Amino acid sequence: MTHVFQLVAFTAALGLSLAVFTPHESAGCNNTHIATFGGRCVIHMGGLFAFPGSPSIGMQQEVAQTALDHVNSLDGILDGYHLSMRWNWTGITLASGPALTDRSLYPYTVRAYPSDRSRSLGVAAFIREMGWRRIAFIFEENAAFQTHTKDLRQILEADEVEIVASEGVKNIDLFQVHLQNLKRQDVRIIYTGFSNIPAMLKLFCQAYIAGLTGAKYVLIPPFWANFEWWLLGTPSEIEPCTEEEIISAVDLSLHFNVKHRSQGLPELDFSGVKPLPEHYDYYNRIFPFSNNVVPVTHDGIMSVALALNSSIADLQRLQPPRRLEDFSYTDTEMARVILNHAENMEFSGLSGRVRIEDGQRIAQRVYIDQAQGTSLKNVMQYKIQEAVLIDSETTRIKWPGGRIPVDGVTRRSLVLEVSSTARAILFSLASLGAVLALAFLFLNVRYKHRRAIKMSSPSLGNLTVVGCLLLYASVFATGWDKKDLSDTAIIVKCHLERMLISLGLSFAFGSIFMRTYRIHAIFSRAVKKFQRIDLPDWKLICGVLTAVFVDCVIFAAWITLDTATVTKRDLEPQLDTTEPEKEIYDVPIIRYCSSEHAQYFTIALYGLKGVLLTFGLFLAWETRNIAVTRLNDSKYIAASVYMVALTIALVVPTMTVLGDDVNMTFLVPGVAIVIVNTAVLCLNFIPKVYLLVSVEEKNICLSMMNSTGYGESSASKEKDNINELEELREKLKQKEDELFLLTKDTPSSTFHGTHVN
C-alpha cells in the first residue's frame, strides 16, 4: 500500500499546492546514488502551480524558492539536510475545499491554508448581523465551487437563511440568462464564485446591464478576490461596459478572506528559530504584500520544513531507528510519525499566527472588505474563535442612504380583524339591547299573573326574549377576535355564529307567530264558527321547538357530513409607509370558514326562515281586523317581518360590495341585528308594559261580547252599536210600560162581560 504524505499549503483557485514530500524510495544519504548539496543530504518536495503566468499570483515560484533558501540557511531547521523543490508536476490539489477534511479520502493530507469553511462562517455571521434571510448563488460549474457552495449552503440553512436560487454556470456567454432568473426571483444578496478575473468582470458587467447592481443589491465576489481585481481588466475583458461602469457595478460589494492584515511585518518566530537579518531585507522589500499569495506561500514552505524537522527525533526512536532519507512509500511507521508532527504545529509567519490542529490550519479572523470606488477597504472583522464581529478602526461600512439594503421585498402577513373601536361600539349596543331584553324577561316572569301580561301568553313571551338574547349573543360571537385562534377554534366559532342567528330567529319569531296563531284560531273557529279549540301554551311551545329542532338537525348534518376548513384569502399588498426603504409590504389576509357543500345547507336554513316569515305574514293579514285591539298584534308582526325583509334586502348587497372590509362586514349585519332585534322586542313588549303601568287590574276586561264578529269590527262601529243598544233598551222599557197598562185593564173587563151573560 502506498502512503503519500501531503501538506497542502494553498488553494487551486490561487494557484499553489505543495505536495510534500518524497525523496527517492529506499534511499539514504550514505547511498552513493543519493544527491548531496554542500555535504547535506538532499530531500525533494514537489510544487504544483496552477497559474504560473498570472500577473497577480505568478510570483509564487519566486517566493517558494526564496523560502526554501531561507530554510536551508537557518540553523536549527533540518540541520544536515538540504530541502529542494521539483516544479510543475501534473495535476492539482484543491487546497481549501471542504472535501480535504475527509480523512477517509485524504488520510495523509494536512492543510496549511485556512479552509473555505472559515470564510463561510464569516459570511454566515455577517449575513446574520445584517438581518438578511434570502440569498442566491451564481457560480462556475466545477467541483471546487460546487463543493464550496454546498458547504456554505449548509451553514446558511442552519441559520434559517433561505437559498432562493443556485445558478451553476457552464458558459459565461449565457450570464444574462442566469441573471434574469435571479432577477425574476427578486434576489438582492448574490454570492458569486468564478475562478478568474475575466469571468468576474464579465459577470459584473452583465449584472450592471441587467440592473442587478446599485443601491438595492449586494454582490459578494469569491474568496480569492482580496485585492482590487476589477481594476486589472483590459477593455476587451470588460466590454460592452466601460471602466466607469465596472467600478460602479463593483462599488460596495463585499469581499470575505483570511488575508493577514498588519501595520508592519509580524514578529517572525519559526518554532524558536528567528530569521537572519538578510532575510528581513527581503521581507521588507516585498512588504506590504500585493496579495495573500506571498505570505501564504512562504508559510507553506516553512510548515513543510518544520514538520520534517520536528519528526527527526521521533524517527530515531523507532525500531529500527530511521532518518528522513530512509523514507519509503511503504513505511507506515515513518508516515505516521511525520503526519503527527505535521498536523499539530504552531509558529509565527508572514501570514500571522500559523496554528495547525488535527491537520487543519485554524484561521484567527475573517476580514470583511468593501469595494469603495477604486479601493478595497477593510470594514469589519470576524473573530472565529470568539464568534463575534467587530468594526474596523479605520473605515466604516457604507450603504446607500446610510441604510442596510434589504434582502428583497418582505411580505408580512397581516390577518385582518375587526377594529377595537368598531367592536366596542357594537358590543356596547348589543349589551344595552341584552339588558333591555332581560328587563322585559323580568317583567314577563314577575307579573305573569297580571291580566296585562297573562292575556299575551307570558310563556311564549319568554321564548321571544330568549331568541332575542341569542341574536344579541351572535354579535359578540361574530366580533370575537380570531387572530390568535387555531383553525379548529375558528371553525367552532363559525358554526357558533350561524347557530346563534338561526336559533335566535326561530325562538323569537316562532314564539310571536305561535301566539298570533292562537288568536287566529280563536276568532276563526271559536267565535265565527262556534267551534271549541284546544291550544294551551305547551302545544304552542312545541310548535316553536319544532322549528328549533329542524335548525338543529340541519346544523348536525352540516357539521357531520360537510367538513369545514379555514381558507385564507390574500388581498392587495400594501407598502408600510413608516419605513418605505425596507420594502415591507403588509399582505392583508382574511380567514374564513368554507366547506364543499356549504351552499346547500345555507339554502336549507334560508328556506326554513323564509317559510317562517311567510307564515307570520299570513297570520298578520288574517288577524288584521280583530275587534279586540288588545289581542290584535297583526300590525306589530307585519312591522317586524317588514323590517327583517328590508334589512336582508339592504345587508346582503352591501356585504357583497364590502366583502373585503372586515369592519364593515361586521358593523353592517351587526347593527342590523341590534336594530331589528330591539325593534321586535319593543313592538311586542312595550304595549304590554304600558298597559301594565297605566291601567288598573280591575279595569282590564276582555269580553268577546264587545266584538261584532271576526273581520268586521272597528272602534267607531263598536261605539255606534253601543248607542243603538241603549236606544233599543229605552224603547223596550216603553213597550214594557204599555204592556203593563194593557194587562192591568184586561182582567176587569173580562170578568164584567161574563157576569152579564
Side-chain angles (χ1 to χ4, degrees), residues 13 65 112 139 153 175 243 266 334 414 434 487 611 680 705:
Q65 185 58 58
F139 57 91
R153 183 187 194 115
F175 267 144
E243 183 178 345
M334 283 193 71
L414 180 64
D487 287 356
V611 170
V680 169
M705 296 305 296

Side-chain angles (χ1 to χ4, degrees), residues 634-647:
S634 62
K635 56 181 177 294
Y636 304 138
I637 296 173
S640 300
V641 175
Y642 172 76
M643 282 190 295
V644 172
L646 180 62
T647 300

Side-chain angles (χ1 to χ4, degrees), residues 729-744:
R729 285 176 178 173
E730 185 66 28
K731 291 181 179 180
L732 180 59
K733 185 178 180 180
Q734 293 177 0
K735 295 296 183 181
E736 287 177 348
D737 291 340
E738 293 177 0
L739 182 61
F740 176 76
L741 294 175
L742 290 173
T743 55
K744 183 179 179 180

Side-chain angles (χ1 to χ4, degrees), residues 497-601:
E497 293 172 15
R498 301 187 189 108
M499 292 178 67
L500 289 174
I501 294 175
S502 184
L503 296 178
L505 288 172
S506 295
F507 271 115
F509 286 93
S511 58
I512 294 172
F513 298 159
M514 284 296 101
R515 188 173 70 244
T516 306
Y517 172 72
R518 179 160 58 185
I519 298 171
H520 165 69
I522 290 172
F523 280 89
S524 63
R525 288 185 291 174
V527 175
K528 193 172 183 179
K529 298 180 181 180
F530 299 101
Q531 295 178 355
R532 187 176 182 276
I533 63 168
D534 183 22
L535 287 175
D537 283 354
W538 70 266
K539 287 187 177 181
L540 300 179
I541 292 173
C542 287
V544 177
L545 295 180
T546 299
V548 173
F549 176 74
V550 174
D551 282 343
C552 293
V553 170
I554 294 175
F555 278 111
W558 192 347
I559 295 171
T560 304
L561 302 178
D562 194 21
T563 303
T565 58
V566 176
T567 303
K568 298 179 181 180
R569 182 156 57 91
D570 295 347
L571 305 182
E572 187 68 24
Q574 299 174 354
L575 177 65
D576 184 354
T577 56
T578 58
E579 294 179 301
E581 68 281 353
K582 291 187 177 181
E583 298 186 58
I584 298 175
Y585 285 82
D586 289 325
V587 182
I589 295 177
I590 296 178
R591 295 197 294 175
Y592 59 94
C593 299
S594 63
S595 58
E596 184 177 357
H597 305 295
Q599 65 273 22
Y600 302 114
F601 293 100

Side-chain angles (χ1 to χ4, degrees), residues 10 12-16 50-63 195-198 224-233 259 289-295 297:
F10 203 47
L14 289 181
L16 173 65
F51 307 108
S54 170
S56 59
I57 58 178
M59 62 185 303
Q60 285 179 294
Q61 292 184 8
E62 175 193 337
V63 174
S195 60
N196 55 75
I197 292 176
W224 57 262
N226 51 28
F227 54 95
E228 289 80 2
W229 54 271
W230 64 95
L231 303 178
L232 304 179
K259 177 181 177 181
F289 309 125
S290 59
N291 54 59
N292 217 28
V293 171
V294 173
T297 302

Side-chain angles (χ1 to χ4, degrees), residues 39 149 159 188 265 392 490 559 598 632 713:
T149 54
D159 276 350
R188 306 294 181 84
L265 276 174
S392 171
I490 292 176
I559 295 171
N632 191 353
S713 176

Side-chain angles (χ1 to χ4, degrees), residues 119-306:
R119 285 181 294 273
S120 297
L121 292 173
V123 172
F126 184 82
I127 288 175
R128 185 167 55 249
E129 181 72 15
M130 296 299 105
W132 295 331
R133 286 293 176 265
R134 302 172 73 250
I135 191 173
F137 296 149
I138 181 169
F139 57 91
E140 186 176 328
E141 192 75 83
N142 62 38
F145 288 109
Q146 286 176 335
T147 305
H148 171 61
T149 54
K150 179 181 178 181
D151 184 61
L152 177 57
R153 183 187 194 115
Q154 292 174 347
I155 295 174
L156 292 176
E157 288 179 342
D159 276 350
E160 299 183 352
V161 176
E162 178 189 2
I163 311 302
V164 181
S166 184
E167 298 284 328
V169 179
K170 295 182 178 179
N171 184 355
I172 63 174
D173 292 330
L174 299 178
F175 267 144
Q176 272 297 334
V177 176
H178 296 284
L179 291 172
Q180 288 301 323
N181 288 340
L182 298 182
K183 191 171 185 177
R184 277 193 295 271
Q185 298 183 68
D186 191 33
V187 171
R188 306 294 181 84
I189 315 301
I190 305 173
Y191 189 91
T192 68
F194 293 89
S195 60
N196 55 75
I197 292 176
M200 288 300 299
L201 290 171
K202 189 173 185 66
L203 171 66
F204 273 79
C205 175
Q206 293 301 318
Y208 179 85
I209 294 172
L212 287 173
T213 62
K216 289 185 176 182
Y217 298 92
V218 178
L219 277 75
I220 303 175
F223 47 81
W224 57 262
N226 51 28
F227 54 95
E228 289 80 2
W229 54 271
W230 64 95
L231 303 178
L232 304 179
T234 64
S236 61
E237 290 174 335
I238 66 173
E239 65 180 7
C241 295
T242 64
E243 183 178 345
E244 290 75 17
E245 289 172 339
I246 289 295
I247 293 174
S248 175
V250 180
D251 191 39
L252 304 186
S253 60
L254 297 169
H255 301 63
F256 294 80
N257 58 80
V258 291
K259 177 181 177 181
H260 175 68
R261 309 296 168 86
S262 175
Q263 298 298 323
L265 276 174
E267 186 68 28
L268 301 177
D269 186 336
F270 307 129
S271 297
V273 178
K274 302 289 186 179
L276 299 175
E278 55 267 28
H279 297 169
Y280 276 104
D281 293 338
Y282 173 74
Y283 298 148
N284 288 322
R285 188 168 67 251
I286 64 174
F287 186 86
F289 309 125
S290 59
N291 54 59
N292 217 28
V293 171
V294 173
V296 172
T297 302
H298 176 278
D299 291 344
I301 297 292
M302 196 60 63
S303 299
V304 173
L306 293 175

